[in-house]
Amino acid sequence: MPVVGAPVVEAIDLRRTYKTSTGSLKRKSLEVEAVRGVSFAIEKGELFGLLGPNGAGKTTTIKMLITLLIPTSGTARVLGLDVVKDARAVRSQIGYVFGGDRGLYERLSGLDNLRYFAELYGVEPHEQKRRIGELLEMVGLTGREKERVEGYSKGMRQRLHIARGLLHDPPVVFLDEPTIGVDPVGAREMRAMIASLTDQGKTVLLTTHYMFEADALCDRIAVIARGEVVAQGTPGALKSLVADKTVVEIEVYGVNDESIERLRRVEGVSAVSVEERDQLQLLMVQSAVGAEITPALLAQFDGAKIGRVVAREPTLEDAYISLVEGDS
Amino acid sequence: MRSQGRAEVPAHRVILANWLFSMKSLTKSSFFVLVTVLQPLIFSTIAFFMFKSGGRPGSLLYAALGAGLMGIWSSTLFGSGGLIQWERFQGTLELLIASPSQFMWILVGSTLATSTLGLYSVAGTLLWGAVAFDIPLELAHPALFVLALPATVIGLGTLGLVLASTFVLYRHANALSNLLEYPVWLVTGLLVPVSLLPGWAAPLGWILSPTWGIKAIRYSALGGNPVPALLATVGLSVAYLVIGTRFIAYFERRAREDATLALT
Amino acid sequence: MTAGTAVLGAPRSSSLTSFFRVLFVGGIIVYRALFNWIRPAIYIPTMLGSPLFQILFFANLGKYSGVGDTNFFVVGNAVQVCSMSAIYGATMTLANERYFGTLAQLLATPANRAALFLGRTLPVIANGLLVSVFGFIVGALFLDFSMPASQIPALALVVTLTVVSCTGFGMMLGSIGIRARDVFFASNLAYFLMLLMCGVNIPIDSLPGWMQAISKALPLTHGIAAARLLASGETLGSVAGLIRTELLIGATYGFLAFALFRYFEASSRKYASLDRF
């Protein structure tokens, strides 16, 4: 039974290792630590973001919380229920939605998909019709529900996924990269839908690697990198981690790895990230020094053509980059 | 605030929902129409012509019933054999396991659906026999025939459960299904008496439900005592159910604990 | 002027080698990539296991129903199982292009279409022959199939030509598969109908007239008849007519297949129907 005031979702030192084997003749057993001691707590009605690059351990963490993976060590509770011991009770209290276009029965209609999962979640027959109608309305699929899913667009599939995850009106919802592959307009609608979940009193855990999405939606964010939580707090608090820094953006035509290494070693530089553009690379250099570092930075390129150079205030993305890059 | 769902969805509800859903889903697949309708019609036609031109004494109804049951086996084999792989391929496997319904009851419903659709084969071959080959459907024990059919469907559906759960370990389940179609037709004596085969074939057939299902159906249609075969079918179903659910529980545990059997 | 000639000459000679490169190398690589049953874990159960049990099944059914001697069923089924490759394999090598979404890239290449097309048939034919040979071995090992050893070369020739003809038919289904959505349905159906109509298990003259008419227009029918005669000791000369008919039927389907392939290529550019599902 949930205790009043206790966190709705609680992860305490969660760890998960995978055993894999490599080599075809001499098989070597390898242990990969995907999640290395993750802890956080989500309060009722909060929209909590788990932010991190691919392979950081986001999905493994979420799978432990939704009972699909048993933690190697550590504990996790949802509404006070243990995800290992009370797995079935946890499952009935949570909704799970993942991004991408898989996870639906293609040959059947959207309505069939929803009815089926309503049965699997034990939604009472007299409730089903009303609930499905409400959800179709909410995700904007009313009128399209009798069409086969194979004809749906990516955005429609994703909205159907959301409806499916909410069929049993779960108090806790887990969204694993729900906007992946959805076009910008569709993604904006999706974000509005996600924001409305907390208005209904639901507690939401969202994983994403889009910074602006986390910034726009989340009450609090945990940044996860290499299986560990490297920072936790409100978007504002995370931004303040880099508030004293300056970001110098440099466009370079054909930068080499050596130059980037040299940039990292320039005194005062705390993080460097590279974004590939069409013909050029956009380097973002964070430093505590301010714009006056710029000449020292520009001296590190051996002859590569340099385009626009701008110094600016840091954003949440810079905070994220500095956290993810920080202790590598 | 509590969810509207139930912590423990009753088994009969899960089985029923999955049975209906899977039948609906399978009938939308053209491959299934081929396996459950066209293939049995073609095979029964081959058998009718062979029995006629070979001057085989005895009833063509024997061949029609055998071909019908061959269809139930094909339907179960192709429907159940790759079931878990198919759900995984579609990305629905982890959604099923994440639901509060027990995965084993989900699979029981789905595998029963695959054998139930095999009834199209029985109906099809009997009807085709009557229309094109003047084979009258005269039943020796109509009441027992009506009992033998669902018993056979359950016998094969639960065998499908064992297939679904063991084929998980084999990456190319469809290839295994391709392999196992003819041999089971042979060793269970659906069209050819097992006595024509080498001695080791018969004991293999004894542990397979189609052997007893076809006996129950044939004796109740053509005369004889179908009751022992009927009981054997039911007994095997129970055994399959126990074995199948154990395997599935094991699969689920391996998937969640060591992540050696991937859900995605 | 010599330089000019050389420049003109180079593409000429290389176009001939490239024809053969596309024909052989391209064909085999494509086969490995598209024919996803090539892995032993799939190949053995599907291409060898399934034919093995098919032959055993029909030979026993034949014994029970009293239709003919074992040789009748061994020859009929051993020749027919080549369509495991000639029907399914051929369909896959073309239709899977669309399934994997690689067709657009293929059609963007300047490769000679005839070479591209024929190249795909070579591994299909080789594999079909292998499956048939395996079928005869099964018959000899498990079913007391026997025939005069002196007849083996002639039988091998007839089986090879039948496989070629059957592949022509398979390629036609494959070409249709470039456009049609569910062509494997058709290839499955074709495989089963061959068991019924091509004299594989039922003597053609026991079939109703309309089925006999269809069987005469299908590949396999004449090839199987020729193979049976050879196995029972007849000379190659006496089956020459059957072989010619079999080849003519196969060539007709093969030509149709290539024409359809070209037609779909042209029309897909016109109507942008390439990747439409």
Side-chain angles (χ1 to χ4, degrees):
Chain A
M1 277 291 111
V3 182
V4 180
V8 170
V9 178
E10 203 177 0
I12 305 158
D13 200 24
L14 278 183
R15 280 168 200 277
R16 175 72 214 198
T17 53
Y18 292 109
K19 281 198 187 74
T20 55
S21 43
T22 52
S24 45
L25 285 176
K26 271 178 124 182
R27 291 188 77 77
K28 269 189 206 161
S29 194
L30 267 175
E31 280 215 349
V32 180
E33 278 195 289
V35 172
R36 309 189 289 179
V38 163
S39 302
F40 54 80
I42 310 175
E43 303 299 328
K44 185 173 182 325
E46 241 188 332
L47 209 162
F48 188 85
L50 207 53
L51 189 63
N54 291 331
K58 295 190 300 280
T59 296
T60 303
T61 304
I62 223 173
K63 287 205 172 146
M64 288 190 276
L65 293 173
I66 63 170
T67 77
L68 284 183
L69 273 177
I70 293 174
T72 311
S73 71
T75 50
R77 280 188 286 271
V78 175
L79 293 166
L81 300 160
D82 188 281
V83 296
V84 179
K85 286 201 280 287
D86 312 315
R88 214 158 291 283
V90 169
R91 288 171 189 180
S92 70
Q93 299 299 316
I94 61 174
Y96 169 47
V97 175
F98 58 81
D101 28 0
R102 297 170 73 241
L104 295 164
Y105 292 91
E106 301 273 322
R107 283 196 296 260
L108 295 172
S109 68
L111 184 62
D112 284 333
N113 273 273
L114 293 179
R115 278 193 186 139
Y116 176 55
F117 279 96
E119 282 295 325
L120 291 188
Y121 278 87
V123 178
E124 294 308 328
H126 61 272
E127 276 290 316
Q128 281 184 22
K129 210 175 166 200
R130 185 186 60 78
R131 185 72 190 148
I132 290 174
E134 276 173 17
L135 286 167
L136 285 170
E137 197 63 46
M138 173 194 160
V139 301
L141 285 175
T142 309
R144 309 291 301 269
E145 72 271 22
K146 295 211 167 122
E147 293 169 30
R148 286 187 181 203
V149 171
E150 59 194 358
Y152 280 19
S153 69
K154 276 193 174 172
M156 288 169 74
R157 281 159 188 263
Q158 201 55 64
R159 285 180 282 157
L160 182 60
H161 262 308
I162 299 226
R164 186 195 50 69
L166 298 175
L167 279 168
H168 53 302
D169 200 10
V172 189
V173 183
F174 292 86
L175 303 167
D176 194 6
E177 306 200 355
T179 56
I180 204 159
V182 179
D183 66 79
V185 177
R188 198 170 57 195
E189 288 170 6
M190 195 82 68
R191 282 193 289 277
M193 220 177 288
I194 293 167
S196 75
L197 293 177
T198 47
D199 299 341
Q200 300 165 33
K202 297 189 188 304
T203 308
V204 181
L205 188 150
L206 168 80
T207 77
T208 177
H209 55 243
Y210 300 127
M211 256 50 64
F212 64 95
E213 191 165 281
D215 195 6
L217 285 174
C218 298
D219 300 313
R220 278 192 308 132
I221 295 171
V223 177
I224 184 166
R226 293 168 302 278
E228 287 169 316
V229 174
V230 291
Q232 223 181 124
T234 61
L238 292 181
K239 272 182 238 178
S240 71
L241 288 176
V242 286
D244 56 332
K245 297 201 174 143
T246 306
V247 177
V248 181
E249 288 185 359
I250 310 169
E251 289 180 358
V252 194
Y253 296 85
V255 70
N256 56 25
D257 291 347
E258 279 169 45
S259 301
I260 292 172
E261 269 317 300
R262 280 204 297 273
L263 276 182
R264 286 186 212 275
R265 286 197 299 268
V266 170
E267 211 182 321
V269 169
S270 53
V272 180
S273 69
V274 186
E275 232 182 85
E276 288 290 336
R277 295 280 165 89
D278 279 344
Q279 288 147 10
L280 53 87
Q281 289 86 34
L282 180 66
L283 303 184
M284 279 171 280
V285 184
Q286 291 180 25
S287 71
V289 188
E292 54 270 34
I293 198 172
T294 309
L297 297 177
L298 295 180
Q300 307 306 321
F301 302 101
D302 14 49
K305 197 180 153 211
I306 292 177
R308 207 168 54 99
V309 180
V310 188
R312 59 164 174 80
E313 296 280 292
T315 62
L316 182 64
E317 178 151 4
D318 299 307
Y320 168 76
I321 288 166
S322 114
L323 285 165
V324 171
E325 275 222 321
D327 45 357
S328 61
Chain B
M1 182 176 167
R2 309 296 291 175
S3 96
Q4 288 181 358
R6 296 166 66 148
E8 183 76 60
V9 189
H12 68 270
R13 217 184 128 179
V14 179
I15 294 174
L16 183 68
N18 276 281
W19 185 62
L20 293 171
F21 181 78
S22 297
M23 283 200 290
K24 188 166 189 178
S25 172
L26 287 169
T27 44
K28 306 227 159 158
S29 145
S30 64
F31 179 73
F32 242 76
V33 174
L34 183 91
V35 169
T36 58
V37 181
L38 295 174
Q39 187 188 342
L41 288 187
I42 295 172
F43 276 88
S44 64
T45 310
I46 294 175
F48 294 150
F49 279 131
M50 284 176 75
F51 278 52
K52 273 175 92 171
S53 77
R56 170 86 214 156
S59 170
L60 282 185
L61 189 55
Y62 174 96
L65 292 170
L69 228 70
M70 282 160 63
I72 307 190
W73 170 244
S74 301
S75 172
T76 310
L77 179 64
F78 287 103
S80 296
L83 189 64
I84 293 181
Q85 278 91 331
W86 176 243
E87 297 283 358
R88 179 187 287 145
F89 176 79
Q90 280 192 126
T92 43
L93 181 61
E94 57 174 1
L95 295 178
L96 299 184
I97 294 192
S99 83
S101 288
Q102 286 214 50
F103 187 53
M104 61 173 84
W105 302 130
I106 291 178
L107 280 188
V108 169
S110 302
T111 55
L112 281 176
T114 67
S115 64
T116 308
L117 284 181
L119 286 177
Y120 278 119
S121 315
V122 179
T125 53
L126 290 178
L127 198 68
W128 177 238
V131 171
F133 293 85
D134 296 320
I135 306 168
L137 183 60
E138 284 157 2
L139 301 172
H141 313 291
L144 285 169
F145 184 79
V146 170
L147 215 59
L149 267 183
T152 305
V153 164
I154 292 171
L156 269 82
T158 46
L159 178 56
L161 185 72
V162 177
L163 295 180
S165 55
T166 48
F167 279 23
V168 174
L169 302 170
Y170 193 81
R171 274 189 41 207
H172 307 289
N174 284 335
L176 206 56
S177 298
N178 283 334
L179 178 71
L180 289 181
E181 194 173 28
Y182 283 105
V184 172
W185 286 349
L186 269 175
V187 300
T188 58
L190 295 187
L191 222 44
V192 180
V194 185
S195 55
L196 284 181
L197 303 177
W200 50 263
L204 214 58
W206 293 339
I207 56 166
L208 297 169
S209 50
T211 300
W212 306 104
I214 189 70
K215 282 203 167 98
I217 287 175
R218 272 200 185 122
Y219 289 148
S220 58
L222 306 172
N225 180 10
V227 175
L230 198 62
L231 291 176
T233 312
V234 173
L236 270 180
S237 304
V238 174
Y240 292 151
L241 194 66
V242 171
I243 296 168
T245 48
R246 288 275 161 87
F247 272 134
I248 291 157
Y250 172 74
F251 159 75
E252 212 185 323
R253 205 172 59 237
R254 292 246 326 242
R256 290 174 61 216
E257 269 173 22
D258 348 324
T260 42
L261 288 171
L263 293 177
T264 49
Chain C
M1 286 327 273
T2 43
T5 331
V7 169
L8 281 175
R12 224 168 238 285
S13 74
S14 82
S15 80
L16 197 70
T17 34
S18 84
F19 180 91
F20 284 105
R21 277 191 62 80
V22 171
L23 184 71
F24 288 101
V25 184
I28 289 164
I29 292 171
V30 153
Y31 191 65
R32 287 181 60 92
L34 292 183
F35 179 57
N36 32 22
W37 291 359
I38 200 77
R39 278 177 243 164
I42 305 180
Y43 187 90
I44 293 171
T46 305
M47 284 285 158
L48 303 178
S50 176
L52 163 77
F53 290 116
Q54 180 191 321
I55 293 170
L56 294 180
F57 179 80
F58 282 109
N60 278 293
L61 185 57
K63 213 187 290 178
Y64 181 60
S65 62
V67 172
D69 57 359
T70 307
N71 274 16
F72 179 86
F73 291 95
V74 170
V75 175
N77 284 285
V79 176
Q80 190 270 342
V81 290
C82 82
S83 37
M84 269 288 168
S85 170
I87 300 284
Y88 294 119
T91 313
M92 275 186 201
T93 59
L94 287 175
N96 273 0
E97 289 278 4
R98 203 185 74 141
Y99 187 72
F100 294 138
T102 47
L103 191 62
Q105 293 159 36
L106 177 79
L107 296 184
T109 67
N112 182 294
R113 296 300 187 253
L116 205 94
F117 198 77
L118 283 175
R120 272 149 210 260
T121 65
L122 293 180
V124 172
I125 292 168
N127 183 39
L129 198 56
L130 192 76
V131 176
S132 275
V133 169
F134 174 75
F136 279 104
I137 294 172
V138 165
L141 288 180
F142 299 105
L143 292 165
D144 304 320
F145 166 70
S146 63
M147 60 177 282
S150 58
Q151 294 291 79
I152 290 176
L155 183 68
L157 178 73
V158 166
V159 171
T160 310
L161 296 177
T162 310
V163 173
V164 169
S165 134
C166 209
T167 303
F169 185 74
M171 292 303 271
M172 187 191 68
L173 293 178
S175 284
I176 294 172
I178 288 176
R179 175 63 57 84
R181 202 183 129 136
D182 215 347
V183 73
F184 291 105
F185 182 86
S187 46
N188 273 306
L189 194 59
Y191 189 92
F192 294 138
L193 286 174
M194 281 175 160
L195 288 176
L196 171 64
M197 293 187 185
C198 294
V200 179
N201 297 301
I202 308 159
I204 298 277
D205 49 24
S206 322
L207 293 174
W210 62 274
M211 277 196 199
Q212 291 191 29
I214 296 175
S215 80
K216 296 214 164 74
L218 288 174
L220 279 182
T221 309
H222 301 88
I224 288 174
R228 283 208 181 103
L229 289 172
L230 287 174
S232 64
E234 299 283 335
T235 62
L236 195 55
S238 68
V239 297
L242 285 170
I243 301 172
R244 265 197 301 275
T245 314
E246 179 69 36
L247 272 180
L248 188 71
I249 290 171
T252 310
Y253 285 117
F255 182 76
L256 218 66
F258 186 60
L260 275 174
F261 178 72
R262 292 310 303 257
Y263 170 72
F264 286 143
E265 182 187 355
S267 72
S268 66
R269 272 157 61 194
K270 221 184 207 160
Y271 305 113
S273 52
L274 207 56
D275 293 314
R276 196 156 62 197
F277 271 72

